[in-house]
Amino acid sequence: MVTKRQALRAVVLCLVLVAAVKLLLSEYRTERKQKLATMDPGSFWHPGPKVKEAVTVHKSEDINSLFNLAQKPEVPEPPVKKEAGTAPLETSKGPARIVHLDLKGAAPKVKYIKQIFPLFSSLGADGVLLEYEDMFPYHGNLTILRSPYAYSMEDIEEIKSLAKLNKLELIPLVQVFGHLEFVLKHERYFHLREVRAFPNSLNPHHPGSVALVKDMVSQVMDCHPDARWFHMGADEVRGLGESQDSKNWLHSNKGDVGKMFLNHAVSLARFITERRSGVRVILWDDMLRKISPATIKESGLQDLASPTIWNYLKKMDTDGIGTLISRYHEAGFKGIWFASAFKGGTGIDQRWTPLDYQLQNHLSWIKVMNSMTKYPSITLHGILLTGWQRFEHHTVLCELLPVGIPSLAMCLQSLKHGKCQGNCKIVTFSCKENTIYFSDDNLLSIHLMIISYSHIKGGFSRYHRKYNFANPRIIAFFQGRLKKLLDKWETYIENFRMEMEAIYFPDTVEEWMEENVNANMDLLRENARDAERILKLNGQPKSLKTL
């Protein structure tokens, strides 16, 4: 259990961490001062909380700094040497702390990974869980699965070298059952869908299904010859049991969907462990929760894999977690993993990470970790700090990784040094007028200003603009301010896009801008353009021709 002295040390370290982050932001802001314009513009898959998106106040330069938070490592980096066939890394004593990089959206460029891996390590991370999805450079028959911006083999070799350099163990993750949208979206694989109309899950009975995922797993395993662990996903197998093949199987097997799931999971886990001696398999546990321990034990999965109990809620049921641990112990599992969330677990389109929410989730997990003495015959291998980038392949981006780094720092430090004693609160501030709340409050406030400002609402409405009909006196009240506002935002966006492009590939930049910026900017541009045009008409009668 954690002593008061340890708790106090944790609080002090958190304060030091905050100061360090502020220092990094301050240094980088100074470097960029001449370049950037100063602006003054007027449960995962469970229903997320109605979170007021409140964060520590950042000014315009601070947000650009946040995207480059790890740009200055504390010590010079030695040259990266690529070594093959090296021994696996040893993590620190006790349960490992593994940071999850979800690459199915906003995958960072390698040069940014070079900056953040030292930060992960310094904050107490022991490894990185790489969920490749379409960012892996699949080849041969699987080339179609690759994103146009997928990492190259050389990129992955550099990522592996960077991980070793920073004493971070890499754990690859390849989905083998559910969440295969990035595969089953291709017409070539439509026939392998469990539900023909939906690309979510694989039909486990089609002979091509197992061959497909074995090929995917093999290519990734070959690229990670030193990996001690391999995560095969296997969560949220939507629609399992609905294909005609599955219905036929269920008819002959007493309708046991759990056993159907286990058959496929065991087949893939056995393939992974037999393909390379010593590799241990991890899978998400949600599909196991309703399967009896006796059925699991009968399948043999407990001898092949370790389940990851995941929960991303602020106030999670720790007693319920204990019940799951007992069930998995009864099923014969020798070890388990836990999974928290440092970002991406509160809202499908969340833009800013709610710090207190994520902290409370980790404090709950610390309570569970401290209770593991009640289960002496089952080993806690570690905790995966998930950082979901999308809820699934076809949904929008959650908060970007740089935005989640303060949360990650806080959560890693909490896990490393123990729980807080008494009331532990994160002080946050709503973004005010001078704050660049770029993805929401500021641009949204501009939108609201345009549609609610009295002179615009009463004398320059959409109707007025449609028929080129407005009083020049009314336009004069707001045109100068509107033009000034547009010029400032255009300058800021130019710099902001440049910062984004330094970290992300073009598809991520375009998606984020389209989802969070473009609509409001288009409205601002349109109003400024219409004001200039209609002002020249000098208050003439309504035009019979609309735009």
Side-chain angles (χ1 to χ4, degrees), residues 127 196 211 255 293 396 421 428 451:
R196 182 73 182 187
V396 298
Q421 297 283 357
T428 57
I451 65 175

Side-chain angles (χ1 to χ4, degrees), residues 269-270 273 296-297 299-306 331-334:
R270 180 171 290 116
T273 55
I296 295 174
K297 181 173 286 188
S299 75
L301 181 65
Q302 73 281 0
D303 297 324
L304 300 167
S306 298
F333 287 107
K334 307 299 189 298

Side-chain angles (χ1 to χ4, degrees), residues 171-233:
I171 302 176
L173 187 156
V174 177
Q175 289 282 3
V176 300
F177 210 166
H179 283 296
L180 279 172
E181 296 91 352
F182 82 101
V183 177
L184 299 177
K185 70 180 181 181
H186 296 288
E187 187 174 1
R188 178 189 299 179
Y189 300 116
F190 279 8
H191 66 290
L192 299 182
R193 296 177 174 185
E194 175 69 351
V195 179
R196 182 73 182 187
F198 306 138
N200 302 73
S201 305
L202 200 67
N203 176 350
H205 307 287
H206 194 289
S209 294
V210 173
L212 170 66
V213 290
K214 282 184 176 180
D215 194 4
M216 293 166 56
V217 167
S218 296
Q219 290 194 22
V220 174
M221 287 186 74
D222 289 346
C223 197
H224 290 273
D226 300 328
R228 300 190 305 165
W229 294 92
F230 191 96
H231 202 308
M232 68 178 199

Side-chain angles (χ1 to χ4, degrees), residues 302-320:
Q302 73 281 0
D303 297 324
L304 300 167
S306 298
T308 301
I309 303 174
W310 59 270
N311 189 304
Y312 312 144
L313 298 179
K314 180 178 182 178
K315 295 182 179 179
M316 69 185 199
D317 180 6
T318 53
D319 291 336

Side-chain angles (χ1 to χ4, degrees), residues 251-285:
H251 181 73
S252 303
N253 290 271
K254 301 179 181 180
D256 195 339
V257 178
K259 187 175 181 180
M260 181 191 299
F261 169 81
L262 289 169
N263 285 349
H264 183 76
V266 167
S267 173
L268 268 298
R270 180 171 290 116
F271 171 77
I272 293 168
T273 55
E274 291 179 351
R275 197 170 194 281
R276 186 185 308 143
S277 176
V279 172
R280 291 178 283 180
V281 177
I282 310 171
L283 78 163
W284 303 115
D285 84 307

Side-chain angles (χ1 to χ4, degrees), residues 94 183 186 213 223 250 316 330 342 352 376 419 450 463 473 541:
V183 177
H186 296 288
V213 290
C223 197
L250 290 171
M316 69 185 199
E330 185 181 348
F342 74 88
W352 291 97
K419 68 179 182 181
I450 289 174
Y463 175 85
R473 179 177 177 275

